[in-house]
Amino acid sequence: MAGILAWFWNERFWLPHNVTWADLKNTEEATFPQAEDLYLAFPVAFCIFMVRFIFERFVAKPCAIALNIQANGPQIAQPNAILEKVFTAITKHPDEKRLEGLSKQLDWDVRSIQRWFRQRCNQEKPSTLTRFCESMWRFSFHLYVFIYGVRFLKKSPWLWNTRHCWYNYPYQPLTTDLHYYYILELSYYWSLMFSQFTDIRKDFGIMILHHIVAIFLISFSYVNNMARVGTLILCLHDSSDALLEAAKMANYAKFQKSCDLLFVMFAMVFITARLGIFPFWVLNTTLFESWEIVGPYPSWWVFNLLLLLVQGLNCFWSYLIIKMACKAISKGKAGKWNPLHVSKDDRSDIESSSDEEDSEPPGKNPHTATTTNGTSGTNGYLLTGSCSVDD
C-alpha cells in the first residue's frame, strides 16, 4: 500500500520542477491546501443533502402550493396486461410493425396504442410540484454560491489580472474564504452524485459525466494548489445556473412572460460565459500564461485536458440551447412562443410546459383514456411528448 501511495503522490507528476510536498506543508506563517482537507466534503455533502430535504419540504412546497401548483402527476395509463408485458419485457418504443400487430390483437387503433405507451412512460415521471421544489432548491443554492463567489473574487487580485493566478506558484497560501468556497462547491457536487439517482434528469449519462469531471477537477486543482484559477472557473460556471432554475420555476407556475424573459437571460449569460469568457479568459491563462510563468509539468497537462473536456460539454449544451431557441422562435411565429416547450432531443434540464390538447381523431376506439380538464397534462406537464426523454 505504501508503494502505491508513493507512486500516486509522485511529486514529479503533481508539482512543478524542484518543488516537493515538504515545501507545501502547513506552517505557523502560511497554510496550504492538503489532500486530507477533501475528506471534509463528505460530511458537508450529507449536510447539504439534509438541508435540501428540509428546504424542499418546508420552504419550497408551501411556495408551490401558494402558487396553485398541484401535487397530482400525469395521467395514469389504463391497465392492460398485454401492453404492460410489451412495455416492461420487450420495448417502450414499439415500431410500426409491432404497433400493427398489437392493434389487431387488441382491436385498438394504432393511435390509441401509441397514446397508451406515452401515458405509461409519463406516469413514472414526478409531479410538477416535485419539479418546482427541486428547481427552487437548486435556484437558492446556485444564487447563494454565485453571490458568495463574486464577493470573494472582488477582493482577489487574480480577478482583475489572471497572471496573479501563477505568481509565486505553488507557494500561494490558502485563505479561509477560498477554503470554504472550494469545500462548499465540492460538497455540492458530491451531494448531486448521491441524488442523481432520484433527481428529475433525462440526460443521466451526460450529467454523471459532468459531476465526475467537476469533482475530479475541483479536487485536482485543490491538491496541486491551482485553487486561484479554480475559483474563476467555479464562479463563471455558476453565473447562469440560477437563471435556468428561475425560468423553470416560472414555467411550472405558468408565468409565461417571466419564463420567456428568464430563459432569454439564461441563454445570453450561458453562451457568453461559456463560449466567450471561459475559452478566451480562463483557458488563455491556464494554457498560455501559466506556460509562460510556471511552465508545463504532468499534472498541468491533465488539468488543461479536463478544462478542454468541460469546454466540450459547454459547446454541447450551448448547441442544444441555440437549437431550442430556434424552435421557440419558429413556434412564436405561429403564436406559440414558449422556449421551454422542447422536444426529446433538447437539453433535458428544461421541462415542457405545454397544455396543448392531444386530441383523438374520430375512430372506432372505445378504450382510449380521456384527458383531464380538457388537456393532456396537469400543471404544464406534457403528456404528448415521446416517452424516450426519460430513458
Side-chain angles (χ1 to χ4, degrees):
M1 178 60 79
I4 295 175
L5 289 175
W7 170 81
F8 182 81
W9 295 111
N10 190 307
E11 293 166 342
R12 298 285 60 83
F13 171 80
W14 288 96
L15 302 173
H17 187 61
N18 291 330
V19 180
T20 67
W21 291 119
D23 298 330
L24 299 177
K25 288 294 184 182
N26 292 334
T27 65
E28 294 182 358
E29 292 78 22
T31 299
F32 299 100
Q34 305 296 315
E36 54 266 26
D37 296 345
L38 300 178
Y39 290 125
L40 182 60
F42 293 104
V44 176
F46 177 76
C47 291
I48 290 175
F49 192 82
M50 296 307 298
V51 169
R52 170 183 174 172
F53 175 79
I54 295 170
F55 179 90
E56 290 185 358
R57 186 177 182 87
F58 298 104
V59 178
K61 187 175 181 179
C63 291
I65 293 173
L67 292 170
N68 295 320
I69 297 175
Q70 303 299 318
N72 51 319
Q75 188 174 352
I76 304 298
Q78 104 180 53
N80 186 289
I82 296 175
L83 295 180
E84 184 68 26
K85 183 177 180 180
V86 173
F87 182 87
T88 56
I90 302 177
T91 179
K92 297 180 180 179
H93 320 295
D95 56 22
E96 184 176 349
K97 184 177 180 181
R98 190 177 297 276
L99 286 171
E100 291 176 356
L102 290 170
S103 176
K104 293 177 182 178
Q105 184 178 0
L106 297 172
D107 194 28
W108 288 20
D109 59 42
V110 170
R111 180 162 176 77
S112 300
I113 297 172
Q114 289 175 325
R115 174 179 282 108
W116 188 95
F117 275 92
R118 286 198 301 269
Q119 292 175 344
R120 180 63 181 84
C121 289
N122 286 334
Q123 75 182 43
E124 297 178 351
K125 297 178 182 179
S127 67
T128 307
L129 186 143
T130 302
R131 292 167 177 264
F132 180 91
C133 291
E134 180 184 320
S135 289
M136 189 170 181
W137 158 251
R138 290 175 182 263
F139 166 78
S140 302
F141 183 88
H142 287 305
L143 183 63
Y144 166 75
V145 78
F146 176 66
I147 292 173
Y148 180 88
V150 170
R151 292 186 61 185
F152 165 71
L153 286 172
K154 281 173 61 179
K155 302 178 290 183
S156 306
W158 57 89
L159 174 65
W160 315 108
N161 182 357
T162 53
R163 298 178 71 88
H164 280 280
C165 292
W166 312 107
Y167 291 155
N168 199 35
Y169 176 82
Y171 307 105
Q172 298 169 343
L174 177 68
T175 65
T176 302
D177 287 344
L178 192 153
H179 175 73
Y180 171 78
Y181 189 27
Y182 246 71
I183 295 299
L184 183 64
E185 290 274 14
L186 180 60
S187 302
Y188 177 68
Y189 280 108
W190 272 118
S191 74
L192 289 182
M193 281 291 290
F194 302 146
S195 64
Q196 181 69 21
F197 300 93
T198 58
D199 280 351
I200 307 159
R201 306 296 314 189
K202 301 169 189 171
D203 50 356
F204 180 84
I206 289 293
M207 291 313 300
I208 284 289
L209 175 63
H210 174 271
H211 298 337
I212 290 173
V213 171
I215 289 170
F216 192 75
L217 190 55
I218 293 171
S219 303
F220 193 89
S221 62
Y222 185 85
V223 168
N224 64 4
N225 205 10
M226 291 184 178
R228 289 188 175 183
V229 73
T231 57
L232 299 179
I233 298 168
L234 290 171
C235 191
L236 190 64
H237 282 75
D238 286 332
S239 60
S240 60
D241 291 338
L243 289 170
L244 171 60
E245 301 303 332
K248 289 163 67 175
M249 287 193 295
N251 187 41
Y252 300 142
K254 298 186 179 180
F255 298 151
Q256 197 57 53
K257 290 184 179 180
S258 298
C259 173
D260 297 346
L261 176 61
L262 288 165
F263 175 80
V264 171
M265 293 170 61
F266 157 73
M268 292 175 61
V269 172
F270 186 98
I271 294 171
T272 300
R274 304 197 186 196
L275 296 189
I277 299 174
F278 181 72
F280 294 106
W281 186 49
V282 174
L283 291 182
N284 176 68
T285 192
T286 61
L287 287 169
F288 303 112
E289 292 178 350
S290 64
W291 182 294
E292 176 187 342
I293 298 171
V294 179
Y297 52 98
S299 68
W300 179 93
W301 289 102
V302 174
F303 181 69
N304 279 287
L305 285 174
L306 287 171
L307 292 184
L308 291 174
L309 177 57
V310 169
Q311 183 59 16
L313 291 172
N314 289 340
C315 292
F316 170 72
W317 279 317
S318 296
Y319 159 74
L320 293 180
I321 291 169
I322 293 170
K323 180 180 177 183
M324 190 190 317
C326 291
K327 289 186 178 182
I329 291 172
S330 65
K331 288 180 182 294
K333 291 178 180 178
K336 297 180 181 178
W337 160 261
N338 180 359
L340 299 190
H341 182 178
V342 297
S343 73
K344 65 179 180 180
D345 298 320
D346 292 323
R347 187 181 184 190
S348 67
D349 246 320
I350 305 175
E351 313 297 345
S352 173
S353 67
S354 173
D355 278 331
E356 211 173 313
E357 184 173 357
D358 186 14
S359 59
E360 173 74 14
K364 65 180 179 180
N365 174 34
H367 307 280
T368 304
T370 57
T371 59
T372 304
N373 296 331
T375 65
S376 60
T378 305
N379 271 311
Y381 202 106
L382 183 66
L383 297 185
T384 59
S386 168
C387 63
S388 64
V389 292
D390 272 330
D391 293 343

